[in-house]
Amino acid sequence: MTLSSKPTTLTQKLMSSALTGVLMTSLGVAAPMMAISQSATAAPADNLMAAKRLNKLLANTKSMTANFSQTTKGANSGTFTGTMSVQRPNNFRWETKSPSQQLIVANGNSMWVYDKDLEQATKQNVDSQVGNTPALLLSGDPSKIDKNFKITQPYDNKNYYVLYPKADSASFKSLSMSFSGGKPVMMVLNDSLGQTTSIKFSNIKLNPSIGSSQFKFTPPKGVDVINQ
């Protein structure tokens, strides 16, 4: 999530270096190293089984907090670090702290993108933005994920999944996710601009109690507010 001088969509923020700048080569590209240590002869799971397994893993994640390190390779290369919190249904907080400061807060009704350095906050409708983004995986309804993505599991014996958006309008080509101990630990995103974004999670806490205030945002006084 990098800063931009003009407003961008959630998909762009979460997945290009304005989100690629975000959510991932952590669930992704050239499969995560932890995901390719398996036997070369391991067979892939069929799509239905892959969807069931991924849905089960995600359904067990009612809430999650973690630190993240996000690296993008491509035209907008860079590394960003920060913290994130998610809570079902549809609550999402992604805060970049270094090298720049940016906050994305989403709940069931709206999403705010706040660029502190630009003194600009953009408000967007969640329903129109989240359907085909990584945010859906961690904060949305797991049972609906296969409606938005083709889900594959390249190796039947590894909790590593590659998802392909079904919508032509999606801004990314593929999204990979790796799990360890039932926790999502890495995501990798290949976007439509030819960039790869990797996101690694650390200090992961699964199903903690998170105050509702974490998913609310009030623009500071003097900030430019843009409604989309």
Side-chain angles (χ1 to χ4, degrees), residues 169-207:
S169 59
S171 68
F172 65 99
K173 295 180 179 179
S174 67
L175 170 67
S176 306
M177 295 186 73
S178 293
F179 293 80
S180 178
K183 301 176 181 179
V185 294
M186 189 173 189
M187 301 178 82
V188 178
L189 174 77
N190 290 309
D191 71 16
S192 57
L193 300 176
Q195 300 180 126
T196 295
T197 298
S198 304
I199 299 175
K200 295 181 180 180
F201 299 110
S202 61
N203 193 29
I204 300 169
K205 295 181 180 179
L206 205 60
N207 299 324

Side-chain angles (χ1 to χ4, degrees), residues 43-178:
D46 63 59
N47 292 355
L48 180 59
M49 180 58 70
K52 287 182 177 179
R53 289 173 177 172
L54 178 60
N55 285 346
K56 183 177 180 180
L57 284 166
L58 293 173
N60 288 334
T61 305
K62 304 290 192 300
S63 64
M64 172 180 158
T65 63
N67 297 333
F68 70 82
S69 176
Q70 172 189 313
T71 300
T72 296
K73 295 182 179 180
N76 296 302
S77 297
T79 297
F80 301 84
T81 59
T83 60
M84 59 84 75
S85 302
V86 293
Q87 182 171 275
R88 299 188 194 279
N90 304 319
N91 292 308
F92 187 89
R93 182 185 182 92
W94 189 272
E95 187 169 4
T96 300
K97 297 184 177 181
S98 178
S100 57
Q101 296 184 26
Q102 185 181 77
L103 174 65
I104 295 178
V105 178
N107 54 41
N109 301 311
S110 61
M111 183 193 75
W112 286 94
V113 178
Y114 171 48
D115 288 316
K116 185 175 181 179
D117 292 347
L118 296 179
E119 296 186 332
Q120 177 179 288
T122 302
K123 186 178 182 181
Q124 302 175 10
N125 181 281
V126 168
D127 291 339
S128 66
Q129 297 292 336
V130 178
N132 292 297
T133 70
L136 173 68
L137 299 180
L138 297 176
S139 64
D141 183 348
S143 66
K144 296 180 180 179
I145 291 172
D146 59 351
K147 294 181 180 180
N148 294 282
F149 301 94
K150 173 186 175 182
I151 302 171
T152 67
Q153 186 180 8
Y155 304 93
D156 186 64
N157 61 342
K158 293 291 180 179
N159 283 325
Y160 164 62
Y161 302 85
V162 182
L163 292 77
Y164 302 91
K166 294 180 179 180
D168 294 335
S169 59
S171 68
F172 65 99
K173 295 180 179 179
S174 67
L175 170 67
S176 306
M177 295 186 73
S178 293

